[in-house]
Amino acid sequence: MDFFVEQAPTDQAVHALVRGKYGERARILSRREVLSGGLLGLFRKRAVEVTGYYSHGPARIRPSTPETMETERRKILSTVRGDEGDRTRSVAETPTGGTGESLSDVMRELRALRESVGGGDTRRDEPEGLVQLRSVLDENEFSSAYTGEIVERAKRELSYDGLAQWDALGARVLEWISDNISTFPWDEHAATPRVVVLIGPTGVGKTTTIAKLAAMYGAVADPVRKVRMITIDSYRIGALQQIQKYGEIMGLPVAAVETKEEMRRQISLAQDDDFVFVDTIGKSPRDFGKLAEVHELVSEARGEVHLAVSATTKLADMREIFRQFEPFAYSGVIFTKMDETSNVGNLLSVLRETRKSVSFLTDGQSVPQDLERAQVASFTKRLHGFARARSAVVEDVVSMS
Ligand SMILES: Nc1nc2c(ncn2[C@@H]2O[C@H](COP(=O)(O)OP(=O)(O)OP(=O)(O)O)[C@@H](O)[C@H]2O)c(=O)[nH]1
Ligand SMILES: [Mg+2]
């Protein structure tokens, strides 16, 4: 038997949803009206939320022997009352009519108990593992939507025992978080010249990241690749000098462009190159005029666009940045300054919400070493609170081999 929580705009819709997802066996236990959806607390809509349970079908149902019924009943009653040990035992030992008892009797008793203890607060009744799950996700700064999704999935897919033990639950959740991460398919040997454009808010580290990429392919790689850099950051005093300096040190050509024609010409000069890295002017995403100008030039480069954003950005600001730069049709996200934060939940939440792929991470000012291709492990190793869960995964793998 598994529990579920579902929402829909009306009672009719939620019942249809439950029947569609869990079949005729699904039973609803509670119903309440909630506010759902919306942006930053605005435009929230009324919805009906139901909780209930369903069984997996005849083949998977354990026979309802008096013992299994009694065990199930004990578990449910102890959860509802928050009882442990002796108190649970005394509830379980209350005469109940013995072997003829059906699950619906237990559920009726459960509902009555819930009402008698004040009802409504389902969180208080949560199994230990689930309580810990919420707190670990919160500690890692996952958004409430992400946490909600994971918690609902856990309730939907795992048995009562699966939710009770943090180590086993944490190991499953780590797998789900990993599966949710989409990494950008960066192919080192894609067709050339490969034009890569970095966009993003001011001061996040675009120019430094361009220098790291240029150094990695144009100086460190073996064999060395043919690389050039283009900047459209010439509006700001000192910006051109910054990238020119990198070019000089690495012996790579750098060009500054201010018009579409120049951009077209520079790209045509790069036909024999492997990589062209294009740096853009750092402007606030709210400065629409400048963004439109940059957009014109970037479109002319006809390259793949990556959004650079500092990993230290607050979740709400991050959402805003992702949205404001959407007209650039960026296909990858680069998180910079990973060394300045110890939480990655907000990064994974915004990636999940926007269905974007992450391409690179930077974690320091040193060129080129503080740059890594984003991998699932780049994030999972930075999560806290999963240590024992992680070792449970390892034990699993070892025991399977
Ligand atoms: N700690 C840390 N600092 C970084 C990282 N990447 C860049 N920086 C620093 O951030 C500052 C800004 O870097 P830039 O590369 O000039 O940033 P930008 O996005 O090009 O800035 P604008 O062109 O002004 O928009 C510099 O001091 C960099 O050394 C990083 O991964 N970690
Ligand atoms: Mg710059």
Side-chain angles (χ1 to χ4, degrees), residues 201-208 212 233 236 242 282 336-337 339-340 362-365:
T202 184
V204 295
K206 296 180 296 298
T207 307
T208 314
K212 287 172 182 172
D233 195 356
R236 215 194 54 209
Q242 186 190 0
T336 62
K337 309 195 183 184
D339 52 310
E340 292 184 359
T362 77
D363 61 353
Q365 298 178 311

